[in-house]
Amino acid sequence: MNDLEELKILLEETYNIYKNVCDDWRLENGLKYNQMTTTVWQTLEDVNKLIDIFKYRDFLNEKKLEQVLKISSLPNVSHSRVKQLNSTLFKLVNYNTKKITGKSGTIAINKCLNDMFGLRVITNRVFTFNEVKNFIKENFPKFKCLNSSKDEYKAIHIYIKEDNYNYLWEVQLWFKDDEKKNHESHKLHKQAYTKWEQLFKNKQGGLK
């Protein structure tokens, strides 16, 4: 990708598919709860909310596979995926330890599971965060744009959103020069949750 106009076309096409998925999900499962006011702790304490998350994963992987594959084949998409089960559980448990207003687990669920489906775009041209943020604000006012650079990982994340009752999708915007280090950072992150998964399996009552 070389300019923000290409990104606009990609986001428009992805958003159209996302809205169709949201409509079909609502018709089949209903919109169970407000993800802005529901916390990670409340989700972990409520088996029905956890089941809803896992059903949504299956919904994307099975019933909406055609749409997911369509996004994967769009120009400028270098990678896409539905969030894995172990990664989902790891993120929930990890965010449950984070404190907001002095209490653990009080982060809203849509700030934790904001990447149930994700895609990556690698651009040859470097844009500042403010350039991308202003572009998103002007063209996609429902979306959120965050500077997600941390340590060796350098990226801008764009979150596709319809309302507070649907799971968010994530678009990772990488710059070509950061690609190698970002892959290394992702590899370390994956090692962290696969190690956690193994420890969890080894405990009585863990994943089967």
Side-chain angles (χ1 to χ4, degrees):
M1 194 184 79
N2 295 302
D3 57 51
L4 290 176
E5 189 59 35
E6 290 183 69
L7 179 62
K8 181 180 179 181
I9 294 170
L10 170 63
L11 291 176
E12 286 174 339
E13 293 188 65
T14 303
Y15 184 45
N16 286 332
I17 294 173
Y18 172 75
K19 286 191 295 184
N20 288 334
V21 170
C22 288
D23 289 343
D24 291 344
W25 171 253
R26 182 183 68 253
L27 288 172
E28 183 167 320
N29 298 278
L31 297 178
K32 304 289 177 48
Y33 59 97
N34 188 324
Q35 297 183 22
M36 178 61 78
T37 59
T38 302
T39 67
V40 171
W41 178 81
Q42 290 171 331
T43 301
L44 288 172
E45 289 291 309
D46 188 336
V47 66
N48 290 320
K49 289 184 174 64
L50 288 174
I51 289 173
D52 195 63
I53 293 168
F54 303 143
K55 284 178 67 176
Y56 184 72
R57 286 187 64 259
D58 293 341
F59 183 75
L60 293 180
N61 278 319
E62 297 171 8
K63 296 191 176 181
K64 295 301 157 187
L65 181 60
E66 183 179 347
Q67 283 89 336
V68 169
L69 291 176
K70 183 178 179 180
I71 292 174
S72 302
S73 64
L74 290 175
N76 299 308
V77 174
S78 68
H79 175 74
S80 67
R81 59 97 181 104
V82 176
K83 196 167 188 66
Q84 295 179 355
L85 175 61
N86 55 358
S87 179
T88 303
L89 290 171
F90 175 77
K91 198 169 186 182
L92 283 167
V93 172
N94 187 41
Y95 270 69
N96 195 46
T97 65
K98 295 186 177 183
K99 292 186 177 181
I100 301 293
T101 65
K103 296 182 179 180
S104 300
T106 54
I107 296 175
I109 196 66
N110 70 351
K111 291 185 178 180
C112 171
L113 297 182
N114 51 15
D115 58 348
M116 293 300 289
F117 177 77
L119 59 146
R120 183 177 303 144
V121 178
I122 299 176
T123 172
N124 295 311
R125 179 181 166 190
V126 176
F127 303 100
T128 67
F129 171 66
N130 283 335
E131 281 182 297
V132 179
K133 182 179 179 180
N134 291 334
F135 166 81
I136 294 298
K137 184 177 180 180
E138 179 180 351
N139 293 280
F140 304 95
K142 287 185 179 181
F143 294 9
K144 294 185 177 182
C145 184
L146 295 178
N147 184 350
S148 297
S149 297
K150 184 179 179 181
D151 300 326
E152 295 295 314
Y153 180 73
K154 308 296 180 185
I156 297 171
H157 288 184
I158 301 163
Y159 295 97
I160 299 176
K161 180 180 179 180
E162 180 64 14
D163 53 45
N164 290 331
Y165 289 86
N166 283 288
Y167 295 98
L168 276 64
W169 289 5
E170 179 187 79
V171 178
Q172 298 177 356
L173 183 62
W174 289 12
F175 303 128
K176 185 67 177 178
D177 290 345
D178 299 321
E179 186 176 3
K180 183 178 179 180
K181 287 186 177 180
N182 281 359
H183 279 299
E184 292 172 353
S185 180
H186 267 267
K187 184 177 180 181
L188 289 173
H189 175 71
K190 186 173 181 179
Q191 288 175 348
Y193 71 69
T194 51
K195 181 179 180 181
W196 169 86
E197 180 187 29
Q198 189 58 50
L199 289 172
F200 190 73
K201 285 181 178 179
N202 291 337
K203 290 182 179 180
Q204 185 176 1
L207 294 171
K208 303 298 183 182

